[in-house]
Amino acid sequence: MTGPRHFLDLDRLDATTLRRLFARAIAFKAGEHKPVMAGRTLALLFEKPSTRTRVSFEVGAHRLGGHAIVLNSRDMQLGRGETVADTARVLSRYVDAIVLRTDAHHKLLELARSATVPVINGLTDRSHPCQILADILTIEERKGDIACRRLAWVGDFNNVCRSLVHAAGLLGFSLAIACPPELLAGDEPALAWARAQGATVTVLADPREAVRGADAVFTDTWVSMSDREGERKRALLEPYRVDGRLMRLAAPDALFLHCLPAHRGEEVTDEVIDGPQSVVFDEAENRLYVQMAILEWCLVG
Ligand code: CP
Ligand code: NVA
């Protein structure tokens, strides 16, 4: 007997699955009505704050004919010591799928091991795969197949960056990451994994080198939620701000991407995030459609 179909990380999937998810996301965006969640309930379990993930999953479940309930771990017995495994077993008796946002990736894996319904990664300290699917859809809407494109990431090598590296391994675009060497110490398994898939992923200290000629430039907050290294990271990342001067080194029609929330004046200037190359609100919108595709994939294949 096979278990539920979880959506945990992009490095567990293949290119065909990703392509199928994009095709379904495009269909949902074009207005396809498919009530695959009729009579079904989605639990959204948060250990950390969220605007986009929460609202887009809630609306997505509703558009698929289903219902969503939002749970804050602090208000649950989970917050006072009930195990993740027991929580998974109990929720599986009530709901049809669970989205988890957590500080600790191992909790996502534990939830998936114990749940008898699909579990979806709504962001962990390791990765943010829903976000990167939305970002790639956003790029392809404007530039076509991403395979021949050059992308640049500027800033912290964080959860969003790691999912972007996984996507490079599957979809074949080249990726240049500009990150202070101090923040990428030691082995980073995602890099080795993507390179083993044949992807060109380079890590550079100089943001100008990473951005030069790029088709899309990504950044994200310098200090992620629950990151305890805030002051150190802010100091190290000061030269990695995406401003107009840096963007002008990219291709003239390069896109600017940021998963949001942005810390304007830190990782990105207003000029860039509010400028004509910015697609940050399209990324946020596309979360809805890729997640409808993910829900459909998890629930009905
Ligand atoms: N990008 C993203 O996941 O946003 P939220 O933290 O608001 O969910
Ligand atoms: N890297 C950020 C992403 C927020 C959506 C964080 O983890 O806080």
Side-chain angles (χ1 to χ4, degrees), residues 101 123 128 158-160 220-221 224-225 259-261:
R101 169 166 288 194
L123 180 148
H128 198 3
N158 64 12
N159 43 8
V160 180
D220 185 13
T221 179
S224 286
M225 291 178 277
C259 65
L260 303 178

Side-chain angles (χ1 to χ4, degrees), residues 160-180:
V160 180
C161 180
R162 193 169 288 105
S163 286
L164 184 61
V165 172
H166 291 154
L170 293 177
L171 299 176
F173 56 84
S174 72
L175 177 62
I177 297 167
C179 175

Side-chain angles (χ1 to χ4, degrees), residues 46 48-56 101 122-123 128 131 160 220 225 258-261 284 287 291:
F46 289 97
K48 310 202 254 196
S50 169
T51 297
R52 281 144 288 266
T53 305
R54 174 188 167 157
V55 178
S56 56
R101 169 166 288 194
L123 180 148
H128 198 3
Q131 180 67 53
V160 180
D220 185 13
M225 291 178 277
H258 189 309
C259 65
L260 303 178
R287 291 287 302 276
Q291 289 161 192

Side-chain angles (χ1 to χ4, degrees), residues 201-242:
V201 183
T202 50
V203 179
L204 306 151
D206 185 346
R208 291 166 303 181
E209 274 184 60
V211 162
R212 198 161 279 126
D215 297 301
V217 178
F218 287 68
T219 192
D220 185 13
T221 179
W222 287 347
V223 183
S224 286
M225 291 178 277
S226 333
D227 201 330
R228 284 178 212 86
E229 290 191 286
E231 284 320 302
R232 177 171 170 260
K233 282 197 174 173
R234 275 196 192 89
L236 287 169
L237 286 160
E238 188 62 31
Y240 291 78
R241 176 172 300 115
V242 180

